[in-house]
Amino acid sequence: MAGSSFQVARPMSISEITEKAQDFVFDESIAPKTWLRTGETLLREAQIYERERNDQQAYMLLMRYTNLIADKLPKHPAYRQPENKQGVLASVKTLKEVMRIMEDLKPQINARYDAYMEKNKNREMPVDIDGSRASTWANFAASDPAVAGNTTTLDAEQNSQLAVKLAHKEIRRRDAARRAVRQAGVSEREEHRRRTAGLWDGWDSGLSRDGASTSRDDDEMRRNMEASRRKMDGPHKIVSDEVINRQVNSRPTSSRSGASGYHYPSITRSQPVRYQDNLESRSRSISPKRNLPPRPPKETFNPVYESEPPPRPGKESVDSIEASMSDPKATFTFRPSAYLENGNPLRTIFLPPTLRTEFLKYAESNTRRNLETCGMLCGTVISNAIFIQQVVIPEQENTSDTCEMINESAFFDYVDSQDNMMVLGWIHTHPTQTCFMSSRDLHTHCAYQIMIPESIAIVCAPSKTPSWGVFRLTDPPGMQCVRACKKPGIFHPHEESNIYTDALRPGHVFEAEGLEFTIVDLRPDS
């Protein structure tokens, strides 16, 4: 293993971070409950970055959440539909607390930026011949709140083993905190209620730090948020900046005990056939000899990578980097290892090398019967890198060409019960087909990539060569093409040829030897 760093010293201003936060496409063709789930993911990510003292990225994610919930979502045509009422109310209730946290982060962001500008007021930024900023990797990094301002960032490829050690250390810390919660007499159900009720769930960190047996009750806003999520019966209004405070403070505290009746809705598959099918009436046993429509040509697969890979900086002492891990104040930031086609950075995903082979063991009985099997890739963010920790196999209905998650609420209840767990994509088998992304696969994956741009789709084709691949949609043109597509049916062509690409390096996905993971099978007959 080789240690390496790269200096990206210039921090970002509040206005620059705000501009970055607002730079996302809000598509009204995507259901509100998908956007609500995206908002929940933004909060989970912001919590992690705030804990790691990466206040720029935490501020950006919270600002994006505020923009999504208070500005974009109320303009959605389906915003007022009854099925979205509880989710909207739950999200609105968090806004005041989100704004308070943003105000707490502002002074340190401003102080760091002002100090840098004062120190470098006579220094000019490099420019190209046409007068624009030089299009170097350093300038791309300087526009990334997760990296800008960090004095040292690490290269993922050269520090994969360090990344594994960091991940295991942080996961052990979280497990210790979870055990402290149990020892304090807090049940799993009560823990889940507290996590969904409060934004930062600081009560459990307090338990792990000093062994306190009761949650913190001195935060009035957090109690109001808890009460609002448990009651969920207020007026349904379009959100504006003027009414946020009134909506948060006007609802009485519920005296009803028990867990919240609302959980953020799960992501639905975006293909039209999903809405036309009646899953409850669909037979669990489908004949493998049924007649299928003729298949169109496969989607053309043209790998596209970033045009300017990061430079390879000079080596540093591995011992000095690992020694600093023992310092509780030490912070590590992995810089992006790839970029979307639109120039936006992609955080590195560390993938356990044995994950696919272990998953295939769980899928073996279906594979023998020519039935597809799917699992959800779940994990967390640590030091601006993403680590796959679990494959969760949900209850599903399988055919030779499709696998549909059913009982989605049970799956997302499980994910929500885990500390800082996020859905990072999916894995599925092609029992007899080659390793490619079908049109149905592309529509399915689009919803994951909207939620987290780094989301990946792993395809396993055990009877073919190559036997597996890791893919993402191009952006552009793949994401835009799939979102605009309204064609029905399992197989249909798309106009774009460069619709998806390989995500394995030199993309943003790295296999990390020794990275621990588990497989959780939620199927009732497993």
Side-chain angles (χ1 to χ4, degrees):
M1 181 184 72
S4 61
S5 65
F6 189 80
Q7 304 298 314
V8 187
R10 182 187 178 277
M12 299 180 73
S13 67
I14 290 294
S15 60
E16 289 172 330
I17 299 173
T18 299
E19 182 180 0
K20 192 74 175 178
Q22 295 173 344
D23 183 21
F24 71 97
V25 176
F26 181 79
D27 191 338
E28 293 182 352
S29 67
I30 298 169
K33 62 181 181 179
T34 299
W35 286 117
L36 289 168
R37 189 79 203 182
T38 300
E40 176 72 4
T41 300
L42 290 173
L43 291 182
R44 285 174 180 254
E45 291 185 87
Q47 176 184 1
I48 295 170
Y49 281 103
E50 194 270 342
R51 282 178 174 175
E52 294 182 345
R53 299 189 294 278
N54 192 331
D55 46 17
Q56 288 187 146
Q57 183 71 353
Y59 188 94
M60 191 278 289
L61 293 166
L62 293 173
M63 175 60 75
R64 182 167 291 177
Y65 175 85
T66 302
N67 185 255
L68 172 64
I69 300 302
D71 181 44
K72 301 292 187 183
L73 196 58
K75 299 173 183 177
H76 197 288
Y79 180 76
R80 294 178 178 270
Q81 291 182 0
E83 62 267 25
N84 300 319
K85 180 179 179 180
Q86 291 182 335
V88 168
L89 288 174
S91 297
V92 169
K93 288 296 180 181
T94 67
L95 285 173
K96 188 173 181 179
E97 177 71 357
V98 166
M99 292 176 182
R100 184 194 65 77
I101 296 173
M102 290 170 62
E103 287 301 313
D104 290 344
L105 295 174
K106 264 186 182 181
Q108 53 212 43
I109 295 174
N110 286 332
R112 188 187 305 113
Y113 177 78
D114 292 342
Y116 177 88
M117 296 304 292
E118 177 64 25
K119 182 178 179 180
N120 299 274
K121 58 184 176 182
N122 296 323
R123 182 181 300 179
E124 294 184 0
M125 296 296 294
V127 295
D128 283 336
I129 297 176
D130 62 0
S132 62
R133 289 183 62 187
S135 56
T136 63
W137 182 87
N139 287 333
F140 277 120
S143 65
D144 180 3
V147 176
N150 289 285
T151 57
T152 302
T153 61
L154 299 175
D155 177 83
E157 181 175 8
Q158 297 188 24
N159 290 282
S160 62
Q161 289 307 301
L162 172 63
V164 171
K165 292 180 180 180
L166 281 171
H168 291 169
K169 178 182 178 181
E170 173 61 14
I171 292 169
R172 286 195 297 269
R173 185 200 66 78
R174 295 177 186 178
D175 288 343
R178 180 70 60 89
R179 287 194 298 270
V181 171
R182 292 291 175 270
Q183 292 171 0
V186 179
S187 67
E188 184 174 349
R189 180 175 180 179
E190 174 65 9
E191 179 191 5
H192 180 51
R193 183 189 68 79
R194 294 185 187 185
R195 289 190 188 281
T196 57
L199 187 58
W200 289 144
D201 64 333
W203 57 273
D204 60 343
S205 61
L207 287 172
S208 61
R209 184 168 56 251
D210 56 26
S213 61
T214 59
S215 63
R216 299 177 180 177
D217 294 326
D218 57 346
D219 190 333
E220 180 180 0
M221 179 49 58
R222 189 163 296 156
R223 291 199 304 271
N224 288 341
M225 290 164 60
E226 178 179 353
S228 64
R229 282 200 177 190
R230 292 168 61 187
K231 194 169 181 67
M232 299 291 186
D233 57 359
H236 188 61
K237 298 179 181 179
I238 292 181
V239 183
S240 65
D241 291 338
E242 290 77 11
V243 301
I244 287 174
N245 291 345
R246 184 172 71 253
Q247 286 180 314
V248 172
N249 292 320
S250 63
R251 299 175 60 77
T253 301
S254 172
S255 60
R256 180 171 56 88
S257 61
S260 168
Y262 175 75
H263 301 288
Y264 277 93
S266 58
I267 295 175
T268 58
R269 303 187 183 276
S270 56
Q271 54 271 34
V273 69
R274 173 72 173 178
Y275 300 105
Q276 295 169 2
D277 288 345
N278 184 343
L279 292 179
E280 293 183 358
S281 63
R282 185 187 298 175
S283 172
R284 294 293 182 100
S285 176
I286 301 178
S287 171
K289 297 182 179 181
R290 71 193 189 290
N291 294 324
L292 291 175
R295 299 184 180 183
K298 297 175 183 177
E299 306 286 350
T300 303
F301 173 45
N302 295 318
V304 176
Y305 309 117
E306 69 275 17
S307 58
E308 186 178 4
R312 291 189 178 273
K315 295 184 178 180
E316 293 179 344
S317 168
V318 176
D319 292 339
S320 65
I321 295 177
E322 293 191 348
S324 63
M325 290 177 59
S326 60
D327 182 359
K329 295 183 179 180
T331 59
F332 299 86
T333 301
F334 286 96
R335 61 175 175 265
S337 52
Y339 292 84
L340 289 172
E341 290 70 19
N342 62 19
N344 289 334
L346 289 170
R347 293 166 295 184
T348 297
I349 287 184
F350 287 105
L351 179 70
T354 59
L355 181 144
R356 66 185 186 279
T357 55
E358 291 300 315
F359 170 72
L360 285 174
K361 295 177 182 178
Y362 285 79
E364 183 178 4
S365 61
N366 279 345
T367 302
R368 288 199 305 265
R369 293 179 292 157
N370 191 29
L371 299 176
E372 288 193 2
T373 306
C374 67
M376 305 299 120
L377 303 175
C378 299
T380 191
V381 176
I382 300 173
S383 300
N384 198 45
I386 297 173
F387 295 83
I388 303 295
Q389 293 176 267
Q390 287 190 357
V391 178
V392 182
I393 304 176
E395 188 175 354
Q396 55 195 266
E397 291 184 335
N398 317 88
T399 75
S400 60
D401 300 293
T402 64
C403 49
E404 299 281 354
M405 185 198 308
I406 59 176
N407 194 12
E408 291 180 328
S409 61
F411 166 70
F412 281 108
D413 283 349
Y414 172 79
V415 173
D416 291 341
S417 71
Q418 304 301 299
D419 187 20
N420 297 318
M421 185 80 78
M422 294 178 291
V423 181
L424 303 168
W426 61 310
I427 180 173
H428 74 289
T429 59
H430 284 183
T432 59
Q433 294 298 310
T434 57
C435 181
F436 74 106
M437 291 281 281
S438 69
S439 53
R440 169 64 74 91
D441 295 341
L442 296 173
H443 281 268
T444 298
H445 187 64
C446 184
Y448 296 106
Q449 206 164 313
I450 286 171
M451 188 164 61
I452 296 181
E454 292 85 359
S455 295
I456 56 174
I458 301 178
V459 180
C460 298
S463 65
K464 305 296 180 181
T465 302
S467 62
W468 72 293
V470 184
F471 307 110
R472 67 167 175 86
L473 296 178
T474 56
D475 187 6
M479 285 287 289
Q480 293 73 15
C481 175
V482 173
R483 288 204 309 262
C485 177
K486 306 299 181 184
K487 296 177 182 178
I490 296 177
F491 299 102
H492 59 265
H494 292 101
E495 288 73 18
E496 294 287 347
S497 58
N498 178 32
I499 202 166
Y500 72 100
T501 187
D502 195 345
L504 277 172
R505 59 178 173 179
H508 70 293
V509 178
F510 293 79
E511 289 189 289
E513 193 71 36
L515 184 59
E516 297 172 357
F517 71 99
T518 57
I519 296 182
V520 179
D521 196 341
L522 300 181
R523 294 175 295 181
D525 54 349
S526 61

